[in-house]
Amino acid sequence: MRRIPDMVITRMSIYSRVLSALMEKGIDIISSDELGKLANCSGTQVRKDLTYFGQFGTRGVGYNTSDLKSNITKILGMDKRWKVALVGVGNLGSAFLSHERFKKHGFDIVVSFDADKSKIGKIYNNVEIRNIAELKESINEFGVKIAIITVPAQFAQEVSDLLVESGIKAILNFAPTTLRVPEKVIIRNVDLSLELEALSFFLTHKRAYDSEFSFLYL
Amino acid sequence: MRRIPDMVITRMSIYSRVLSALMEKGIDIISSDELGKLANCSGTQVRKDLTYFGQFGTRGVGYNTSDLKSNITKILGMDKRWKVALVGVGNLGSAFLSHERFKKHGFDIVVSFDADKSKIGKIYNNVEIRNIAELKESINEFGVKIAIITVPAQFAQEVSDLLVESGIKAILNFAPTTLRVPEKVIIRNVDLSLELEALSFFLTHKRAYDSEFSFLYL
DNA sequence: TAGATTGTTAATCGATTAACAATC
DNA sequence: TAGATTGTTAATCGATTAACAATC
């Protein structure tokens, strides 16, 4: 009944990734310490994270890679498929229409929207581009519950409101702006601008001290 | 001389974004409480974050939006431009070549690389696509210090090693894998797969309790 | 001056790490 | 059995929040 920290979920995904690689190598038992090393954290961290969800190992032995992998897959809900709508078929949006990453993770883009008349009606990678004016009806028609926002920042809130109104339950937002959504709507932001500014900061403030680099206050 | 938490930098970027919006609206004074509200955090958080870098406000009054904005811009190092190389001109990579976001944040993609013979020699948005075999010489030729990795996961470590060897100081990695780089190299990961799996987790475990939604342990 | 708001110190909270009993 | 490693509790660490003196 505990609330699970975001970072625990992120690490669970990483463990899952490491376990896949181990399975491919034919390794079928791994200790928390080894798994941690491959996931860039401690064995303690691995064990602690797993206790949020149950007991998956054997004392004195370790974890069975394929068992743990399938348990994590189920915990993350990666054993099902989700229908997704994409809003904004610009350069990033159209890249996503032909990006296999979504499909690989169980997210099928079934419809897309744009306001640009020259794009409407076209089909990219089997996905139709519809007029954003038809968003609500189309969302209902397809029974889509998840949306990807790849419109310019200034239109993102408006699109988000429209999606929420249409019954969307989760949003993956790529627009560089903080969206206001009702608490019941799940939102994840992938903010490239924030990453670029962090990169800029660390590049600017990198300082050499005794042949070692640290990020310091001025 | 304190180490600055990553989250502080992220929030500084958000403050900067909020301040820009305020300036456009012609608001030239703002209190920490108001700024916090717009940035989705508390006034205390805003004031605490700013103390890492100095004193920017006036007691009893608040902050001058344009002064604070220009201070943050300077702190984040957004007052200069960086030359960038992009490795992997697939669907995501080519989207980035014509993506204005990078330029807007001072990152100019000056050269790109791919292994696909059919792409080599082409020019997208004024950026030449070169053979990845020429990476080292080209990096030196352009004096590039930052690289974006948009190659498939299985080639990312190899590309990363090559970049480090060529003298790259910072990497923005979009491949869904954890790269090993020397400590002195700055690395930021934008991991779409991790976001999708988190979305999947929260969608799977969303539960209604008394008309309220919480993320709970099973 | 009185009211407002910053800058900063102290208290709280939550996440990470250490330690170790349980047990294969 | 002896050695290894998990699962879990307690200790530590660091970040967030509360409180308030300084001061406009």
Side-chain angles (χ1 to χ4, degrees):
Chain A
M1 212 68 165
R2 291 154 292 179
R3 222 181 166 288
I4 295 163
D6 247 54
M7 277 306 297
V8 173
I9 306 304
T10 300
R11 284 194 299 266
M12 290 295 280
S13 290
I14 295 170
Y15 303 151
S16 160
R17 191 180 279 173
V18 169
L19 289 165
S20 296
L22 290 169
M23 281 165 75
E24 268 176 34
K25 281 190 190 167
I27 296 167
D28 46 32
I29 295 285
I30 188 145
S31 70
S32 57
D33 273 359
E34 290 172 292
L35 179 51
K37 202 169 293 168
L38 294 166
N40 270 330
C41 67
S42 66
T44 300
Q45 185 79 268
V46 171
R47 296 198 298 280
K48 189 78 208 290
D49 288 345
L50 292 176
T51 58
Y52 279 99
F53 307 101
Q55 303 186 171
F56 306 101
T58 309
R59 286 167 198 237
V61 179
Y63 301 89
N64 178 297
T65 49
S66 102
D67 283 359
L68 184 55
K69 165 77 183 170
S70 65
N71 271 300
I72 294 178
T73 298
K74 210 167 165 197
I75 289 162
L76 294 174
M78 300 302 294
D79 53 347
K80 21 183 168 354
R81 303 200 70 79
W82 307 96
K83 281 187 280 187
V84 180
L86 182 141
V87 189
V89 193
N91 58 51
L92 198 59
S94 57
F96 287 164
L97 289 183
S98 46
H99 201 56
E100 289 308 304
R101 196 86 64 84
F102 292 97
K103 251 197 188 75
K104 215 183 130 199
H105 286 84
F107 293 83
D108 299 311
I109 301 175
V110 295
V111 62
S112 69
F113 303 94
D114 208 290
D116 182 345
K117 294 273 189 292
S118 70
K119 289 175 186 167
I120 294 167
K122 285 194 177 161
I123 294 177
Y124 275 15
N125 206 40
N126 285 321
V127 180
E128 190 188 341
I129 304 175
R130 295 195 177 181
N131 192 325
I132 196 155
E134 301 164 23
L135 189 141
K136 201 167 178 179
E137 309 89 81
S138 299
I139 293 282
N140 278 298
E141 180 190 332
F142 283 96
V144 171
K145 297 291 176 230
I146 303 170
I148 300 169
I149 295 182
T150 42
V151 300
Q154 68 264 36
F155 306 123
Q157 185 61 62
E158 188 184 340
V159 164
S160 169
D161 292 346
L162 195 57
L163 287 167
V164 169
E165 204 191 302
S166 310
I168 282 288
K169 291 193 162 22
I171 294 173
L172 185 59
N173 175 42
F174 288 88
T177 185
T178 309
L179 299 175
R180 309 265 163 184
V181 294
E183 239 194 295
K184 67 174 201 281
V185 175
I186 297 162
I187 186 150
R188 306 280 306 177
N189 296 290
V190 179
D191 200 321
L192 186 52
S193 299
L194 258 33
E195 289 301 323
L196 290 173
E197 298 191 0
L199 204 60
S200 170
F201 173 82
F202 289 116
L203 274 160
T204 302
H205 297 275
K206 190 151 66 83
R207 287 283 179 283
Y209 278 89
D210 309 331
S211 84
E212 214 185 318
F213 289 87
S214 328
F215 307 125
L216 300 162
Y217 168 50
L218 295 188
Chain B
M1 214 60 167
R2 288 153 295 176
R3 219 180 170 291
I4 295 162
D6 247 54
M7 275 310 293
V8 173
I9 305 305
T10 300
R11 282 192 301 265
M12 291 295 279
S13 290
I14 294 171
Y15 303 151
S16 160
R17 189 180 281 174
V18 169
L19 289 165
S20 298
L22 290 169
M23 282 165 76
E24 270 176 33
K25 282 191 191 168
I27 297 167
D28 46 32
I29 294 286
I30 187 144
S31 69
S32 58
D33 273 359
E34 289 172 293
L35 179 52
K37 204 169 292 170
L38 294 166
N40 269 330
C41 66
S42 66
T44 300
Q45 185 79 268
V46 171
R47 297 198 299 280
K48 189 77 209 288
D49 287 345
L50 293 175
T51 58
Y52 278 100
F53 307 101
Q55 304 185 172
F56 307 101
T58 309
R59 288 167 197 236
V61 179
Y63 302 89
N64 177 298
T65 50
S66 102
D67 283 359
L68 185 56
K69 164 77 183 171
S70 67
N71 271 301
I72 294 178
T73 298
K74 211 167 165 199
I75 289 163
L76 292 175
M78 299 302 295
D79 53 346
K80 26 185 166 349
R81 303 202 69 80
W82 307 96
K83 279 187 280 187
V84 179
L86 182 140
V87 189
V89 193
N91 57 51
L92 198 59
S94 57
F96 287 163
L97 289 183
S98 46
H99 201 54
E100 288 308 303
R101 196 86 64 83
F102 292 97
K103 251 198 188 75
K104 216 184 129 196
H105 286 84
F107 293 84
D108 299 310
I109 301 175
V110 295
V111 61
S112 68
F113 302 94
D114 208 290
D116 182 345
K117 294 273 189 290
S118 70
K119 290 175 185 166
I120 294 166
K122 286 194 177 160
I123 293 175
Y124 275 15
N125 206 42
N126 286 322
V127 181
E128 190 189 342
I129 304 174
R130 294 195 177 181
N131 191 325
I132 195 153
E134 301 164 21
L135 188 140
K136 201 168 178 175
E137 308 88 83
S138 299
I139 292 283
N140 278 298
E141 179 190 332
F142 283 96
V144 172
K145 297 290 175 230
I146 304 170
I148 300 169
I149 295 183
T150 41
V151 301
Q154 68 264 35
F155 305 122
Q157 185 60 60
E158 190 185 335
V159 164
S160 169
D161 292 346
L162 195 57
L163 287 166
V164 169
E165 205 190 303
S166 309
I168 282 289
K169 292 194 162 22
I171 294 173
L172 184 60
N173 175 43
F174 287 89
T177 186
T178 310
L179 299 175
R180 310 267 162 183
V181 294
E183 241 193 292
K184 67 173 199 284
V185 175
I186 297 162
I187 186 153
R188 306 279 309 176
N189 295 290
V190 179
D191 200 321
L192 185 53
S193 298
L194 258 33
E195 290 300 323
L196 290 173
E197 298 192 0
L199 204 60
S200 170
F201 174 81
F202 289 116
L203 274 161
T204 303
H205 297 276
K206 189 151 66 81
R207 287 286 179 279
Y209 278 89
D210 309 331
S211 84
E212 215 186 315
F213 288 88
S214 327
F215 307 126
L216 301 162
Y217 168 50
L218 295 187

